[in-house]
């Protein structure tokens, strides 16, 4: 039951991550996560590596077959036949299912441009990232996926980026401008809808500023609608320490409009917004929300209109409302199930939730080590 819940959660997170990036066939990210989760972490890691390698084989094979065979069902049959042979020769038969999914996408679209290849690569990357960390706690799981998505999103807007391996006392992502040479550190934030009221410590603005080290800029990427809407110490801290309060919605807007950094378009003006804004705001107003001012600055820099961004925000808000209603239904069903528990079931569930058996086992292990 627990494994089923973890797989279901991982698949859902993968789909949502793909949705954030506006990928085609976003449902496939969840399928890939499900198909990549196996019995042990090491097996999952190996399978994930094989999936990325065989994706390249799939792309070349699909391009070769689908362009020269007009009949779709014949073309797909030949594609799968050759794919099976290659994977079996390599001993990577377990990758067939995901490769077949990618192949079906290429057959449906008959598109082999850079954008669609990136789309397919991201679906696989998101799916296997979730699979690798599927046995982590929910918050850690979502955090790791968020890091991978943020790093990939930075690449989509023209930056060189990587997820930092160090997990404590460090930012999540390091990015560098190919063209203008600056560097930035970034922290990816995602909050559950059921999360209680957030305070300044949840955003870690001060900590992020300290994590920049030799980087010029520090960027916090959080959900747009979960930044404080009126007054918060978060804004004062961002101004004082020059931390950019960015959002996933800003990234979606840039990617959806194919906006990338160029010689003429330098994103450092975005990352440096808090410092620039500090020269305009009065000390008494430093705690006031400045997200709208940031929106205007970004739109001015990218030469886009406010109505375009407003339209995207409306779409994102509608999506969140739909997700919120689904999540609410889930918890209401959970509540009904709990209300029907017998006394014995309730006690057993409570003991399990407090992990009492694991704690006793750990104490026993420690005692035995002392008695040797």
């Amino acid at each position: 039951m627990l494994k089923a819940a973890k797989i279901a959660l991982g698949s859902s997170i993968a789909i949502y991550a793909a949705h954030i990036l506006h990928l085609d066939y976003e449902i496939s990210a969840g399928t890939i996560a499900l198909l990549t989760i196996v019995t042990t972490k090491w097996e999952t890691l190996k399978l994930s590596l094989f999936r990325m390698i065989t994706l390249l084989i799939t792309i070349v094979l699909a391009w070769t077959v689908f362009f020269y065979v007009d009949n779709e069902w014949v073309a797909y049959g030949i594609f799968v036949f050759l794919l099976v042979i290659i994977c079996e020769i390599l001993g990577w038969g377990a990758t067939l299912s995901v490769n077949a999914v990618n192949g079906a996408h290429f057959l449906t679209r008959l598109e082999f441009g850079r954008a669609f290849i990136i789309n397919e690569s991201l679906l696989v990357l998101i799916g296997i990232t979730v699979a690798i960390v599927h046995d982590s706690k929910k918050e850690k799981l979502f955090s790791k996926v968020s890091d991978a998505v943020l790093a990939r999103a930075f690449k989509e807007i023209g930056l060189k980026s990587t997820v930092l391996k160090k997990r404590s006392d460090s930012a999540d992502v390091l990015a560098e401008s190919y063209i203008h040479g600056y560097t930035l550190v970034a922290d990816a934030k995602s909050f559950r809808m059921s999360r209680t009221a957030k305070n300044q410590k949840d955003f870690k603005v001060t900590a992020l500023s300290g994590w920049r080290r030799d980087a010029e800029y520090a960027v916090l990427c959080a959900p747009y609608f979960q930044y404080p809407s009126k007054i918060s110490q978060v804004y004062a801290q961002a101004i004082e320490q020059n931390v950019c309060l960015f959002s996933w919605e800003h990234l979606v807007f840039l990617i959806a409009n194919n906006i990338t950094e160029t010689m003429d378009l330098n994103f450092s003006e975005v990352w440096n917004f808090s410092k620039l804004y500090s020269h305009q705001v009065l000390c008494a107003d430093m705690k006031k929300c400045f997200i709208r001012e940031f929106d205007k600055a970004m739109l001015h820099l990218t030469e886009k209109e406010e109505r375009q961004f407003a339209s995207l925000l409306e779409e994102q808000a509608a999506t969140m409302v739909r997700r919120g209603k689904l999540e609410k239904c889930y918890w209401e069903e959970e509540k009904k199930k709990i209300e029907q528990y017998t006394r014995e079931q309730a006690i057993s569930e409570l003991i399990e939730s407090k992990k009492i058996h694991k704690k006793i086992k750990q104490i026993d292990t420690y005692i035995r080590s002392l008695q040797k």
Side-chain angles (χ1 to χ4, degrees):
M1 183 68 74
L2 182 59
K3 182 178 180 181
K6 288 180 177 179
I7 293 175
L9 174 68
S11 298
S12 298
I13 290 174
I15 292 171
Y16 180 57
H19 174 78
I20 287 176
L21 290 181
H22 283 205
L23 299 182
D24 293 330
Y25 307 109
E26 59 188 46
I27 300 297
S28 295
T31 303
I32 293 169
L34 184 150
L35 293 172
T36 308
I37 294 173
V38 289
T39 54
T40 68
K41 179 82 77 175
W42 174 238
E43 289 174 345
T44 298
L45 188 60
K46 287 195 297 182
L47 182 57
S48 299
L49 176 62
F50 297 158
R51 289 214 192 288
M52 291 305 297
I53 295 173
T54 53
L55 174 63
L56 299 177
I57 298 173
T58 298
I59 294 171
V60 173
L61 201 56
W63 181 83
T64 304
V65 174
F66 297 158
F67 265 116
Y68 291 97
V69 181
D70 294 330
N71 187 291
E72 286 189 354
W73 66 269
V74 173
Y76 192 69
I78 295 172
F79 164 77
V80 171
F81 175 76
L82 295 174
L83 188 62
V84 170
I85 291 176
I86 293 172
C87 289
E88 289 300 324
I89 290 174
L90 294 173
W92 296 347
T95 66
L96 275 171
S97 52
V98 170
N99 292 329
V101 170
N102 292 126
H105 294 170
F106 283 112
L107 179 61
T108 302
R109 295 284 289 269
L110 287 180
E111 184 177 336
F112 293 88
R114 174 178 174 271
F116 195 65
I117 289 175
I118 289 175
N119 182 90
E120 294 302 295
S121 301
L122 280 173
L123 288 176
V124 175
L125 177 63
I126 291 170
I128 66 176
T129 299
V130 172
I132 290 172
V133 297
H134 81 281
D135 59 351
S136 300
K137 290 183 179 180
K138 293 180 182 179
E139 286 77 7
K140 289 184 179 179
L141 173 63
F142 211 105
S143 176
K144 291 174 182 177
V145 173
S146 298
D147 298 346
V149 172
L150 180 58
R152 183 68 231 193
F154 277 142
K155 290 181 181 179
E156 288 296 299
I157 62 173
L159 303 181
K160 177 183 178 182
S161 63
T162 184
V163 176
L164 296 174
K165 295 181 179 179
K166 188 176 179 182
R167 297 301 304 173
S168 60
D169 193 30
S170 172
D172 297 327
V173 175
L174 176 66
E176 180 182 356
S177 170
Y178 288 106
I179 300 173
H180 302 287
Y182 65 77
T183 56
L184 65 85
V185 293
D187 193 27
K189 289 293 180 188
S190 297
F191 301 110
R192 301 187 308 273
M193 287 189 184
S194 56
R195 176 74 179 269
T196 53
K198 296 171 288 296
N199 57 47
Q200 64 189 51
K201 293 182 180 179
D202 294 316
F203 292 94
K204 297 183 179 178
V205 172
T206 300
L208 179 57
S209 178
W211 293 336
R212 79 177 77 207
R213 294 182 173 84
D214 296 328
E216 286 93 332
Y217 307 112
V219 179
L220 175 65
C221 187
Y224 186 92
F225 298 106
Q226 293 197 350
Y227 277 116
S229 59
K230 294 182 181 179
I231 294 175
S232 173
Q233 188 66 31
V234 169
Y235 298 113
Q237 292 174 347
I239 292 172
E240 291 168 354
Q241 301 175 59
N242 191 25
V243 172
C244 174
L245 301 185
F246 204 48
S247 78
W248 298 104
E249 285 75 9
H250 289 122
L251 272 174
V252 169
F253 183 77
L254 294 175
I255 294 171
N257 286 280
N258 297 314
I259 299 172
T260 59
E261 195 168 60
T262 64
M263 288 296 295
D264 298 323
L265 179 58
N266 188 341
F267 284 141
S268 65
E269 293 184 38
V270 172
W271 319 135
N272 201 38
F273 173 81
S274 292
K275 183 175 181 179
L276 299 173
Y277 184 68
S278 68
H279 301 308
Q280 307 171 25
V281 65
L282 299 174
C283 289
D285 295 331
M286 287 180 64
K287 293 184 181 180
K288 289 184 177 180
C289 175
F290 58 68
I291 297 298
R292 293 300 174 86
E293 284 73 17
F294 176 83
D295 296 344
K296 293 176 182 178
M298 185 194 75
L299 293 170
H300 176 74
L301 178 68
T302 57
E303 297 182 346
K304 296 296 179 180
E305 298 180 10
E306 288 188 34
R307 62 176 178 81
Q308 293 175 285
F309 187 59
S311 177
L312 180 136
L313 289 180
E314 288 178 5
E315 292 176 7
Q316 293 296 310
T319 299
M320 297 306 293
V321 168
R322 289 194 296 271
R323 287 188 60 245
K325 290 180 178 178
L326 288 173
E327 189 171 328
K328 182 180 175 182
C329 288
Y330 169 80
W331 287 116
E332 286 175 345
E333 287 299 316
E334 286 295 299
K335 181 182 175 182
K336 289 178 182 178
K337 290 179 183 178
I338 293 172
E339 288 173 343
Q340 294 173 0
Y341 278 1
T342 63
R343 180 176 181 276
E344 288 74 20
Q345 285 178 310
I347 292 173
S348 176
E349 187 82 10
L350 182 59
I351 291 172
E352 182 67 26
S353 67
K354 288 182 174 292
K355 300 181 180 179
I356 293 175
H357 292 307
K358 289 184 179 180
K359 291 175 182 177
I360 292 174
K361 185 178 179 180
Q362 182 60 39
I363 293 172
D364 285 339
T365 302
Y366 179 67
I367 292 174
R368 283 195 298 271
S369 70
L370 296 175
Q371 293 175 335
K372 288 182 179 179

